[in-house]
Amino acid sequence: MQASGQRYDNASNTTPLAGYAIVNLDAQYALQRDLKLSLNLDNAFNRVYQVANGYNTAPRSVMLGLRWSPAL
């Protein structure tokens, strides 16, 4: 989970930004000793939020990966 309370976007504290909380999930499974399957789900509940005024953030995203780490 990543969270932030209400804050201001400028030095004069006149542009407030709302607080937010997002959930990111990660899972890994070892297929073999040197081969792992991974799944990442970012912004699981597809929250709309801003970390800076006027800049959008990424919607929900899913990434599937395969990592090979041979022993040397």
Side-chain angles (χ1 to χ4, degrees):
M1 178 185 275
Q2 178 181 342
S4 177
Q6 181 183 355
R7 65 233 179 268
Y8 292 94
D9 190 54
N10 58 356
S12 61
N13 291 342
T14 58
T15 306
L17 294 174
Y20 66 89
I22 59 171
V23 175
N24 300 322
L25 303 170
D26 300 322
Q28 292 185 6
Y29 179 74
L31 298 171
Q32 297 178 2
R33 194 178 74 130
D34 59 352
L35 193 60
K36 289 182 183 177
L37 181 66
S38 64
L39 177 67
N40 297 358
L41 175 61
D42 291 336
N43 195 3
F45 299 109
N46 204 25
R47 296 288 309 261
V48 176
Y49 65 100
Q50 287 185 332
V51 293
N53 190 39
Y55 291 90
N56 293 331
T57 53
R60 177 186 307 126
S61 63
V62 178
M63 184 168 58
L64 181 64
L66 191 60
R67 177 173 291 185
W68 179 51
S69 303
L72 299 177

CSV table of all heavy atoms in Angstrom, one decimal, residues 1 9 12 18 23 31 33-35 39-42 49-51 55 59-62 65 72:
chain,number,residue,atom,x,y,z
A,1,MET,N,0.8,-1.2,0.0
A,1,MET,CA,0.0,0.0,0.0
A,1,MET,C,0.9,1.2,0.0
A,1,MET,O,1.9,1.3,0.7
A,1,MET,CB,-0.9,0.0,1.2
A,1,MET,CG,-1.8,1.3,1.3
A,1,MET,SD,-2.7,1.4,2.7
A,1,MET,CE,-4.1,0.5,2.3
A,9,ASP,N,0.7,21.7,-3.2
A,9,ASP,CA,1.5,21.6,-4.4
A,9,ASP,C,2.5,22.7,-4.7
A,9,ASP,O,3.3,22.7,-5.5
A,9,ASP,CB,0.6,21.4,-5.6
A,9,ASP,CG,1.4,21.0,-6.9
A,9,ASP,OD1,2.1,20.0,-6.8
A,9,ASP,OD2,1.3,21.6,-7.9
A,12,SER,N,3.5,28.4,-1.5
A,12,SER,CA,2.7,29.4,-0.7
A,12,SER,C,1.4,28.7,-0.1
A,12,SER,O,0.6,29.3,0.5
A,12,SER,CB,2.2,30.5,-1.6
A,12,SER,OG,1.5,30.0,-2.7
A,18,ALA,N,-5.5,16.4,-2.9
A,18,ALA,CA,-6.2,15.5,-2.0
A,18,ALA,C,-5.3,14.3,-1.6
A,18,ALA,O,-4.4,13.9,-2.3
A,18,ALA,CB,-7.5,14.9,-2.7
A,23,VAL,N,-3.1,0.4,-3.8
A,23,VAL,CA,-2.6,-0.9,-3.5
A,23,VAL,C,-1.9,-1.5,-4.7
A,23,VAL,O,-2.4,-1.5,-5.8
A,23,VAL,CB,-3.8,-1.8,-3.1
A,23,VAL,CG1,-3.3,-3.3,-2.8
A,23,VAL,CG2,-4.5,-1.3,-1.8
A,31,LEU,N,9.5,-21.6,-10.9
A,31,LEU,CA,9.2,-22.7,-11.8
A,31,LEU,C,10.3,-23.8,-11.8
A,31,LEU,O,10.1,-25.0,-11.8
A,31,LEU,CB,9.1,-22.2,-13.3
A,31,LEU,CG,8.0,-21.2,-13.5
A,31,LEU,CD1,8.1,-20.6,-14.9
A,31,LEU,CD2,6.7,-21.9,-13.3
A,33,ARG,N,14.8,-24.0,-10.2
A,33,ARG,CA,15.8,-23.3,-9.3
A,33,ARG,C,16.2,-22.0,-9.9
A,33,ARG,O,16.4,-21.0,-9.1
A,33,ARG,CB,17.0,-24.3,-9.1
A,33,ARG,CG,17.8,-23.8,-7.9
A,33,ARG,CD,18.9,-24.8,-7.7
A,33,ARG,NE,19.9,-24.6,-8.8
A,33,ARG,CZ,21.2,-24.5,-8.6
A,33,ARG,NH1,21.7,-24.6,-7.4
A,33,ARG,NH2,22.0,-24.3,-9.6
A,34,ASP,N,16.4,-21.9,-11.2
A,34,ASP,CA,16.9,-20.6,-11.7
A,34,ASP,C,15.9,-19.9,-12.6
A,34,ASP,O,16.2,-19.0,-13.4
A,34,ASP,CB,18.2,-20.9,-12.5
A,34,ASP,CG,17.9,-21.9,-13.7
A,34,ASP,OD1,16.8,-22.5,-13.7
A,34,ASP,OD2,18.9,-22.1,-14.5
A,35,LEU,N,14.6,-20.3,-12.5
A,35,LEU,CA,13.6,-19.7,-13.4
A,35,LEU,C,12.4,-19.3,-12.5
A,35,LEU,O,11.8,-20.1,-11.8
A,35,LEU,CB,13.2,-20.6,-14.4
A,35,LEU,CG,12.3,-20.1,-15.6
A,35,LEU,CD1,13.0,-19.1,-16.4
A,35,LEU,CD2,12.0,-21.3,-16.5
A,39,LEU,N,4.2,-11.8,-11.3
A,39,LEU,CA,3.0,-11.1,-11.7
A,39,LEU,C,3.0,-9.8,-10.8
A,39,LEU,O,3.1,-9.9,-9.5
A,39,LEU,CB,1.8,-11.9,-11.5
A,39,LEU,CG,0.5,-11.2,-11.7
A,39,LEU,CD1,0.3,-10.9,-13.2
A,39,LEU,CD2,-0.7,-12.1,-11.3
A,40,ASN,N,2.8,-8.6,-11.4
A,40,ASN,CA,2.7,-7.4,-10.7
A,40,ASN,C,1.4,-6.7,-11.1
A,40,ASN,O,1.1,-6.6,-12.3
A,40,ASN,CB,3.9,-6.4,-11.0
A,40,ASN,CG,5.2,-7.0,-10.6
A,40,ASN,OD1,5.3,-8.0,-10.0
A,40,ASN,ND2,6.2,-6.2,-10.9
A,41,LEU,N,0.7,-6.3,-10.1
A,41,LEU,CA,-0.6,-5.5,-10.3
A,41,LEU,C,-0.4,-4.2,-9.6
A,41,LEU,O,-0.4,-4.2,-8.3
A,41,LEU,CB,-1.8,-6.3,-9.8
A,41,LEU,CG,-3.2,-5.7,-9.8
A,41,LEU,CD1,-3.5,-5.3,-11.3
A,41,LEU,CD2,-4.2,-6.5,-9.2
A,42,ASP,N,-0.3,-3.1,-10.3
A,42,ASP,CA,-0.1,-1.8,-9.7
A,42,ASP,C,-1.5,-1.0,-9.8
A,42,ASP,O,-2.2,-1.1,-10.8
A,42,ASP,CB,0.9,-1.0,-10.4
A,42,ASP,CG,2.3,-1.6,-10.2
A,42,ASP,OD1,2.5,-2.3,-9.2
A,42,ASP,OD2,3.2,-1.4,-11.1
A,49,TYR,N,-5.7,9.6,-8.9
A,49,TYR,CA,-5.1,10.5,-7.9
A,49,TYR,C,-4.0,11.3,-8.6
A,49,TYR,O,-3.6,11.1,-9.7
A,49,TYR,CB,-4.5,9.7,-6.8
A,49,TYR,CG,-3.3,8.7,-7.2
A,49,TYR,CD1,-2.0,9.1,-7.0
A,49,TYR,CD2,-3.6,7.5,-7.8
A,49,TYR,CE1,-1.0,8.3,-7.3
A,49,TYR,CE2,-2.5,6.7,-8.2
A,49,TYR,CZ,-1.3,7.1,-8.0
A,49,TYR,OH,-0.2,6.3,-8.3
A,50,GLN,N,-3.5,12.3,-7.9
A,50,GLN,CA,-2.4,13.2,-8.4
A,50,GLN,C,-1.3,13.3,-7.3
A,50,GLN,O,-1.6,13.5,-6.2
A,50,GLN,CB,-2.9,14.6,-8.7
A,50,GLN,CG,-3.8,14.7,-9.9
A,50,GLN,CD,-4.1,16.1,-10.2
A,50,GLN,OE1,-4.2,17.0,-9.4
A,50,GLN,NE2,-4.4,16.4,-11.5
A,51,VAL,N,-0.1,13.2,-7.8
A,51,VAL,CA,1.1,13.5,-6.9
A,51,VAL,C,1.6,14.9,-7.2
A,51,VAL,O,2.4,15.4,-6.4
A,51,VAL,CB,2.2,12.4,-7.1
A,51,VAL,CG1,1.8,11.1,-6.6
A,51,VAL,CG2,2.7,12.3,-8.5
A,55,TYR,N,-0.8,16.8,-13.3
A,55,TYR,CA,-0.1,15.6,-13.9
A,55,TYR,C,-0.9,14.3,-13.5
A,55,TYR,O,-1.1,14.1,-12.3
A,55,TYR,CB,1.3,15.5,-13.4
A,55,TYR,CG,2.2,16.5,-13.9
A,55,TYR,CD1,2.4,17.7,-13.3
A,55,TYR,CD2,2.9,16.3,-15.1
A,55,TYR,CE1,3.2,18.7,-13.8
A,55,TYR,CE2,3.7,17.3,-15.6
A,55,TYR,CZ,3.9,18.5,-15.0
A,55,TYR,OH,4.7,19.5,-15.5
A,59,PRO,N,-3.1,4.4,-14.7
A,59,PRO,CA,-4.2,3.6,-14.2
A,59,PRO,C,-3.7,2.2,-13.8
A,59,PRO,O,-2.5,2.0,-13.8
A,59,PRO,CB,-5.1,3.5,-15.4
A,59,PRO,CG,-4.2,3.6,-16.6
A,59,PRO,CD,-3.1,4.6,-16.1
A,60,ARG,N,-4.6,1.3,-13.5
A,60,ARG,CA,-4.3,0.0,-13.1
A,60,ARG,C,-3.4,-0.6,-14.2
A,60,ARG,O,-3.6,-0.4,-15.4
A,60,ARG,CB,-5.5,-0.9,-13.0
A,60,ARG,CG,-5.2,-2.3,-12.7
A,60,ARG,CD,-6.5,-3.2,-12.7
A,60,ARG,NE,-7.5,-2.7,-11.8
A,60,ARG,CZ,-8.7,-2.4,-12.2
A,60,ARG,NH1,-9.1,-2.7,-13.4
A,60,ARG,NH2,-9.6,-2.0,-11.3
A,61,SER,N,-2.4,-1.3,-13.8
A,61,SER,CA,-1.5,-2.0,-14.8
A,61,SER,C,-1.1,-3.4,-14.3
A,61,SER,O,-1.0,-3.6,-13.1
A,61,SER,CB,-0.3,-1.2,-15.1
A,61,SER,OG,0.5,-1.0,-14.0
A,62,VAL,N,-0.9,-4.3,-15.2
A,62,VAL,CA,-0.5,-5.7,-14.9
A,62,VAL,C,0.7,-6.0,-15.7
A,62,VAL,O,0.8,-5.6,-16.9
A,62,VAL,CB,-1.6,-6.7,-15.3
A,62,VAL,CG1,-1.2,-8.1,-15.0
A,62,VAL,CG2,-2.9,-6.3,-14.6
A,65,GLY,N,6.1,-11.4,-15.8
A,65,GLY,CA,7.5,-11.5,-16.2
A,65,GLY,C,8.0,-12.9,-15.9
A,65,GLY,O,7.5,-13.7,-15.2
A,72,LEU,N,26.3,-19.1,-11.8
A,72,LEU,CA,27.6,-18.9,-12.4
A,72,LEU,C,28.7,-19.5,-11.6
A,72,LEU,O,28.8,-19.5,-10.5
A,72,LEU,CB,27.9,-17.5,-12.8
A,72,LEU,CG,26.9,-16.8,-13.7
A,72,LEU,CD1,27.2,-15.3,-13.8
A,72,LEU,CD2,26.9,-17.5,-15.0
